[in-house]
Amino acid sequence: MFGYETTFKTAVTANKAFGWNQRITSASGSNAIRRIHDLGNRNAQKILEGAFSGTLNIEFELGAPWFLRGVLGSLSTAGAGPYTHTITEIAGNAPSMTVEAGVDLATDAVIKYLGTVVSNCRISAAAPDSPVNVSLSCLYATASNAAASLQAQTSDLDSPFNFAYATLEMPNGSTIADTQNLDITINNSTALRHALGSRFAQGYTMRERTY
């Protein structure tokens, strides 16, 4: 589950589902450890922690569109069943997220990945029998891990999509017929931004966007 942050890497309530069958496929963090040597000894004498950076990969089947605000920056909704969702590019950064994962153990643990930003998004579908699959490659600034009871999971209220619900229109409203496979990749070239005074990222920059 996730929620959009109003302040970078400040936790918010994670109350949105990415989609159906959502899962974190990998999560890792690096402290950029350096060995410090000194005269008179072949062995390292100190260990120095450097800038922390984390990566997070998330996969799910497409249902609700809320995750796309974190990819392109703006999402608006109109109508009342059926709804029309419009996703629009913005010139600056798309918002950061708090991503929450629960681990069901003897003592439950809740991990919050703070300052999570999307670097790469891939959306794919194929006929004749495929849901619309989404994968997000993200960076995160820091994480918190606390013993806590697992909260109720938020379900995706939108029906899962499959290939039959999709059309491909290019360049503007002209449908391309008999499309059997579709693979869209959006690369934000995102980088975490570090500064003096902290090992943890103080901001982020979404650089050149490519499709």
Side-chain angles (χ1 to χ4, degrees), residues 121-198:
C121 172
R122 181 185 177 194
I123 303 171
S124 60
D129 187 22
S130 171
V132 177
N133 297 297
V134 181
S135 62
L136 301 177
S137 297
C138 304
L139 307 176
Y140 69 91
T142 186
S144 66
N145 184 354
S149 299
L150 301 182
Q151 68 181 38
Q153 302 299 295
T154 299
S155 297
D156 194 336
L157 300 179
D158 291 74
S159 299
F161 277 60
N162 73 2
F163 73 96
Y165 301 147
T167 59
L168 178 61
E169 298 179 1
M170 190 180 296
N172 187 16
S174 300
T175 300
I176 299 176
D178 204 23
T179 301
Q180 296 178 321
N181 297 278
L182 177 65
D183 198 324
I184 300 172
T185 299
I186 305 168
N187 186 3
N188 281 320
S189 304
T190 305
L192 295 176
R193 189 173 67 252
H194 291 80
L196 297 176
S198 177

Side-chain angles (χ1 to χ4, degrees), residues 29-36 47-54 141 194-195 197-201:
S30 171
N31 285 310
I33 296 294
R34 292 184 59 190
R35 298 179 180 89
I36 304 299
I47 295 295
L48 181 66
E49 296 175 324
F52 177 85
S53 60
H194 291 80
S198 177
R199 295 199 308 114
F200 300 96

Side-chain angles (χ1 to χ4, degrees), residues 18-126:
F18 282 102
W20 292 89
N21 193 24
Q22 57 188 333
R23 56 210 180 271
I24 294 175
T25 56
S26 67
S28 64
S30 171
N31 285 310
I33 296 294
R34 292 184 59 190
R35 298 179 180 89
I36 304 299
H37 290 78
D38 199 8
L39 296 174
N41 201 310
R42 293 177 55 210
N43 298 326
Q45 300 301 293
K46 296 288 184 179
I47 295 295
L48 181 66
E49 296 175 324
F52 177 85
S53 60
T55 61
L56 195 64
N57 293 307
I58 303 164
E59 295 182 358
F60 52 95
E61 277 84 59
L62 179 62
W66 314 126
F67 75 95
L68 284 165
R69 183 184 168 206
V71 179
L72 292 175
S74 176
L75 187 151
S76 61
T77 300
Y83 297 96
T84 299
H85 303 292
T86 303
I87 299 94
T88 308
E89 294 179 348
I90 64 172
N93 292 331
S96 61
M97 301 177 284
T98 293
V99 176
E100 187 172 298
V103 182
D104 189 7
L105 303 170
T107 300
D108 294 337
V110 174
I111 303 171
K112 293 184 178 181
Y113 299 96
L114 307 178
T116 301
V117 288
V118 177
S119 183
N120 184 281
C121 172
R122 181 185 177 194
I123 303 171
S124 60

